[in-house]
Amino acid sequence: MTIQEPAVARPAGRPRSEKAEKAIIEATLDLLGEGMGVSELSIEAIASRAGVGKTTIYRRWSNKEDLIVDALATLKAPLPELGGTSVRDDLISLLGAMRAEAGQPRSRCVMNIAMSEADRYPRLMERFVERAITPRREAMRAVIERGIASGELDPGLDVDMGMALLSGTMLWHTKWGPEGELDPGLPERVVDVVMAGIAARP
Amino acid sequence: MTIQEPAVARPAGRPRSEKAEKAIIEATLDLLGEGMGVSELSIEAIASRAGVGKTTIYRRWSNKEDLIVDALATLKAPLPELGGTSVRDDLISLLGAMRAEAGQPRSRCVMNIAMSEADRYPRLMERFVERAITPRREAMRAVIERGIASGELDPGLDVDMGMALLSGTMLWHTKWGPEGELDPGLPERVVDVVMAGIAARP
DNA sequence: CCGATACGCAACGGTTCCGTTTCGTAAATA
DNA sequence: TATTTACGAAACGGAACCGTTGCGTATCGG
């Protein structure tokens, strides 16, 4: 018995190509990142971009939505390391990460889809929210709750309101703020002006 | 000469039907309001919904984008009457109007389009921003500037930051806040928590 | 080597929408 | 009445994409 026994017996025949699978997912994310909407995204375009036959796609996913679900699931969520020294610093880190992601076209367009097509593709969004939104939301919630506990933030603060203030303000700036201007100090300015409202006042 | 002479001579033949024109625009807004994206919106669907032949549409608009531009232009912008008694009251009125519009499916979906398809349809968005966004933005800017002048708001406040705080927080709540819950007091709560930050402190 | 499965490719019939044309009819002017 | 233009309806050829199938080749286990 020199051959190791896999836990699940490999089925006979040529195994599926991992390379093709990755190329399909990459092509899907690329096209979405280039501004293509979910409804405009065609299997044929994905196959062409990935250098793959349509058969290879249909063998793995029965429809477009399933494919996009899996593609979105591969978007890693590398939350920033939080120093934990102060609530202010941690919030600046979180907003900075948010702004940086909003700058990447791929994340940016996926975010657009999340905001506009949530009603039409509920399964898609459920998965995306679970994978991408919730971790960030909970990270910010944890920071705010820690700040309330430590006395850095107003003990009467509604946590959801605090998150809306920070995230909403940041989102607004990246969407409709002064164009082109990247303003590396923006996260700090947002946190400071919001903190002045929600920070505990002695 | 019993017949009045119009300023512009009416061309011979049957005049175009205003009723058909309105039906086309209404059908367009209806379909957009039902969640249909710009790219999925087809001339044939509009014609069918409006009870009109495709010919009647193509006679007026050479392409889909032109039609949507005109349709969006008919969306009136009835800004709320501002009492002008206090900055706080006026801001609550503005945010209340924003939330009310976000509740109407037609305005809601048009807003979705504005946020997600701005890159793909720049002409569309330019017109929409000019027609719908700018008046509201300027109304809020005026209130904030009046508040700064009157001493109700922090004299060092960045007006754009103030608008981002108010509008962004409101947007965030309507998008990802607790579902279903309408919370009629939300505009007031948002204004109060933001004011606590941007209001001048004696 | 053999059987099995995956591969890329091309073609299929079917659907939807495109923008145009034709048709018979309706509504205006002259 | 004659002319002119608009109307709704239907059909056109063309394009894109659907999901499927067949083809010849490649890659695995036995």
Side-chain angles (χ1 to χ4, degrees):
Chain A
M1 303 273 282
T2 58
I3 300 172
Q4 55 180 341
E5 192 88 14
V8 175
R10 161 112 57 99
R14 177 177 176 175
R16 292 193 181 169
S17 161
E18 287 189 27
K19 194 173 118 191
E21 192 143 335
K22 287 183 180 175
I24 293 166
I25 298 236
E26 277 301 302
T28 304
L29 293 174
D30 274 353
L31 291 171
L32 287 177
E34 287 168 11
M36 192 157 287
V38 175
S39 64
E40 311 167 64
L41 190 62
S42 71
I43 299 288
E44 301 209 329
I46 296 172
S48 169
R49 170 70 67 107
V52 144
K54 281 194 294 179
T55 327
T56 307
I57 296 182
Y58 281 113
R59 195 175 287 118
R60 292 166 165 77
W61 296 278
S62 61
N63 58 64
K64 184 169 66 179
E65 197 165 334
D66 284 348
L67 167 56
I68 298 180
V69 164
D70 279 5
L72 292 185
T74 70
L75 284 179
K76 293 184 305 183
L79 285 167
E81 281 295 321
L82 299 180
T85 62
S86 75
V87 165
R88 177 175 178 277
D89 288 345
D90 286 355
L91 291 178
I92 291 173
S93 295
L94 287 175
L95 292 196
M98 180 184 296
R99 197 184 61 91
E101 284 194 340
Q104 291 176 335
R106 182 178 286 190
S107 300
R108 179 182 172 81
C109 290
V110 167
M111 199 64 186
N112 280 343
I113 292 173
M115 293 199 59
S116 66
E117 313 204 70
D119 302 330
R120 264 179 297 171
Y121 303 95
R123 287 182 44 241
L124 210 71
M125 288 312 121
E126 184 181 340
R127 183 77 174 264
F128 176 71
V129 164
E130 164 201 334
R131 183 82 185 189
I133 305 288
T134 300
R136 287 157 175 77
R137 188 196 292 267
E138 292 314 307
M140 180 168 290
R141 179 182 297 276
V143 171
I144 292 177
E145 287 177 341
R146 183 163 61 79
I148 292 175
S150 73
E152 289 168 274
L153 298 182
D154 179 356
L157 172 66
D158 175 352
V159 178
D160 287 310
M161 178 63 81
M163 296 199 299
L165 274 167
L166 292 161
S167 307
T169 304
M170 203 64 197
L171 175 71
W172 189 266
H173 260 114
T174 59
K175 271 286 176 189
W176 290 301
E179 319 286 341
E181 182 185 345
L182 290 186
D183 188 4
L186 181 61
E188 186 169 357
R189 287 172 53 224
V190 170
V191 170
D192 280 339
V193 69
V194 173
M195 285 278 286
I198 65 178
R201 284 183 291 282
Chain B
M1 303 272 281
T2 58
I3 300 173
Q4 56 179 342
E5 192 88 14
V8 175
R10 160 112 57 102
R14 177 178 177 175
R16 292 193 180 169
S17 160
E18 288 190 25
K19 195 173 118 190
E21 192 141 336
K22 288 183 179 175
I24 293 167
I25 299 245
E26 276 301 302
T28 304
L29 293 175
D30 273 353
L31 291 171
L32 287 177
E34 287 168 10
M36 193 158 286
V38 174
S39 64
E40 311 167 65
L41 190 61
S42 70
I43 299 286
E44 302 207 330
I46 295 171
S48 169
R49 170 71 67 107
V52 144
K54 280 195 294 178
T55 327
T56 307
I57 296 182
Y58 281 112
R59 192 175 289 117
R60 291 166 166 76
W61 296 278
S62 62
N63 59 64
K64 185 169 65 179
E65 197 165 335
D66 284 347
L67 167 57
I68 298 180
V69 164
D70 279 4
L72 292 185
T74 70
L75 284 178
K76 293 184 306 184
L79 284 167
E81 281 296 320
L82 299 180
T85 62
S86 76
V87 165
R88 178 176 177 275
D89 289 345
D90 285 354
L91 290 178
I92 291 173
S93 296
L94 288 175
L95 292 197
M98 179 184 296
R99 198 183 61 91
E101 284 193 341
Q104 291 176 338
R106 182 178 288 189
S107 301
R108 179 181 172 82
C109 290
V110 167
M111 198 66 185
N112 280 343
I113 292 172
M115 293 199 59
S116 66
E117 313 204 69
D119 302 329
R120 263 179 297 170
Y121 304 95
R123 286 182 45 242
L124 209 72
M125 287 313 120
E126 183 181 339
R127 183 78 174 263
F128 177 70
V129 165
E130 164 201 335
R131 182 84 187 189
I133 305 287
T134 301
R136 287 158 175 76
R137 185 196 295 264
E138 292 313 307
M140 180 169 289
R141 178 183 298 276
V143 170
I144 292 177
E145 286 176 342
R146 182 162 61 79
I148 293 175
S150 74
E152 290 168 272
L153 297 182
D154 180 356
L157 172 66
D158 175 352
V159 178
D160 287 312
M161 178 63 80
M163 295 199 298
L165 274 167
L166 292 161
S167 307
T169 305
M170 204 65 197
L171 176 71
W172 190 266
H173 261 115
T174 60
K175 270 285 175 190
W176 289 302
E179 320 285 341
E181 184 184 341
L182 291 185
D183 188 3
L186 179 61
E188 185 170 357
R189 287 172 54 223
V190 170
V191 170
D192 279 338
V193 70
V194 173
M195 284 278 285
I198 66 178
R201 285 182 291 280

